[in-house]
Amino acid sequence: MDPKEVKSDLVLILDYGSQYTHLITRRIRALSVFSLCISGTSPLKSITDLNPRVVILSGGPHSVHTPDSPTFPDGFVEWASSNGVFVLGICYGLQLIVQRLGGEVRVGEKQEYGRMDIEVEKSCGLFGSKSVGHKQVVWMSHGDEVAKLPDGFEVVARSQQGSVAAIENSLRRFYGLQYHPEVTHSPEGMETLRSFLFDVCRVNAGWKMEDVLDEEIKVINDTVEPDEHVICALSGGVDSTVAATLVHKAIGDRLHCVFVDNGLLRYKERERVMETFQRDLHLPVTCVDATEQFLNKLKGVVDPEVKRKIIGKEFISIFDAFAHDLEQKLGRKPVYLVQGTLYPDVIESCPPPGSGRTHSHTIKSHHNVGGLPKDMKLKLIEPLKLLFKDEVRQLGRILNVPEAFLKRHPFPGPGLAVRVLGDVTQENALDILREVDEIFIQSIKDAGLYDIIWQAFAVFLPVRSVGVQGDQRTHSHVVALRAVTSQDGMTADWYYFEHKFLDDVARKICNSVRGVNRVVQDITSKPPSTIEWE
């Protein structure tokens, strides 16, 4: 997707490491405005080439007083001013604006974290029709504070403690908020973003999934020559299914899909997925049974990052072999490999589009983006890599992908390898986990909860516990149940089941799955945890 072809003004977010940065992107897209996130330390050319209408400087954990603290490139202020670009600084971003434009930031005498009241001091575009004296609750998270504003700036809101909460210089088109409008803890934050984009910046809202589809098809057709063939890695999940359907719409029978049974799939996943591909989607799919190949490579491996790297490498070797077989059949070599990589995959794997993300930590490598060998023979096509999960589902509906497919819970690329903690080949762990997971998911469906929950699954723990089954002492395995609600997978809350539901599920598991005598529930949100255990 070429940002310059999108029928919307671009809002570009420069990321300085805030855990909420991705939420800014999501909130802006929810207003039908296209937004992208790149590193806050990107070169000026990377910013100017995207030709944004608005640039937002995100928050971050840093202090402008630290010698190596990240900042926007030299020449950014002059470029923005001379090109009519609007700039909004959020938290750390506000402090950058103040410091770089000649003001003063100091360590706050009273640090502000959590919910705080702010009061509008001056009528301004940031707060729309809100009059002077209007109070609202916002989410603060800062230790430094503004001591002196640069020339031409005004304070337009203060916190209940008297600290600067919002500033503006309307002539230079620079604005700042010392709080996070993008989080739900700032109830009027979305209204503030709307006022800023539409009333102040006069942004054109034209971000629609129909346009995304048209643009992606155009990009694919411009990329893939008329005589070139493409392989698509189908997992049976939402992402790869939508990606395959989109590419198939673009190039037809020059797409060749392959579904790999790596021995790490869910209960009867292979049979169910292949039936749906053939019956509902009418996609030409070859199934490759690589169970032995994957499990042999994973034997004895306990480190989750190593697991992911191994699995990514094995997938690519299979696709290379599949490409070789196709070459013998077609008389020409397939050139591209399609993957259903999403924007959260890219963000978490670091770096995001724009590269050079040096001020945030890699959480985990995704097999889509973290396990690809440098000498891979196939070029990548990732038509969904700038989209979030709910956007992919919207795109799938436009492509007439069956609703049952679109509503499937996310399933990790490495499969059950990251849900068996430790060596996946030991103690019949995979078969035990499949049975437990099937009972859990079917119980959720029977209770009418499947569509409410973002993701649910079971985890095989590398511990045994003492129990009593059939009047005999047992020393058996422990499994954990995890269910979360989320919008895009970047943050998540654990789902609160009724006690009777958990009681029934635990009884079913212990009575039906040989080798399990204890069931626990994971009640941790993201952050601090990730959704998957590994």
Side-chain angles (χ1 to χ4, degrees), residues 119-123 127 131-134 155-159 162-163:
E119 181 175 333
V120 176
E121 280 198 351
K122 179 182 180 298
S123 296
F127 298 111
S131 58
V132 174
H134 171 80
V155 177
V156 295
R158 289 186 184 273
S159 73
S163 298

Side-chain angles (χ1 to χ4, degrees), residues 295-369:
L295 296 186
N296 283 342
K297 292 285 187 179
L298 290 168
K299 187 175 180 61
V301 178
V302 297
D303 184 274
E305 275 295 287
V306 176
K307 287 183 189 178
R308 290 174 179 271
K309 302 287 187 184
I310 288 173
I311 292 166
K313 185 176 180 180
E314 292 309 304
F315 268 122
I316 296 302
S317 69
I318 289 171
F319 300 145
D320 279 341
F322 182 70
H324 177 75
D325 292 342
L326 267 180
E327 181 182 3
Q328 303 302 310
K329 177 182 176 182
L330 300 171
R332 63 177 63 248
K333 184 181 297 184
V335 179
Y336 294 95
L337 169 66
V338 177
Q339 286 194 321
T341 309
L342 301 192
Y343 205 23
D345 297 339
V346 176
I347 291 172
E348 284 198 347
S349 294
C350 186
S355 75
R357 181 165 173 171
T358 57
H359 297 286
S360 60
H361 296 284
T362 298
I363 306 301
K364 62 178 73 167
S365 296
H366 289 259
H367 94 285
N368 279 358
V369 291

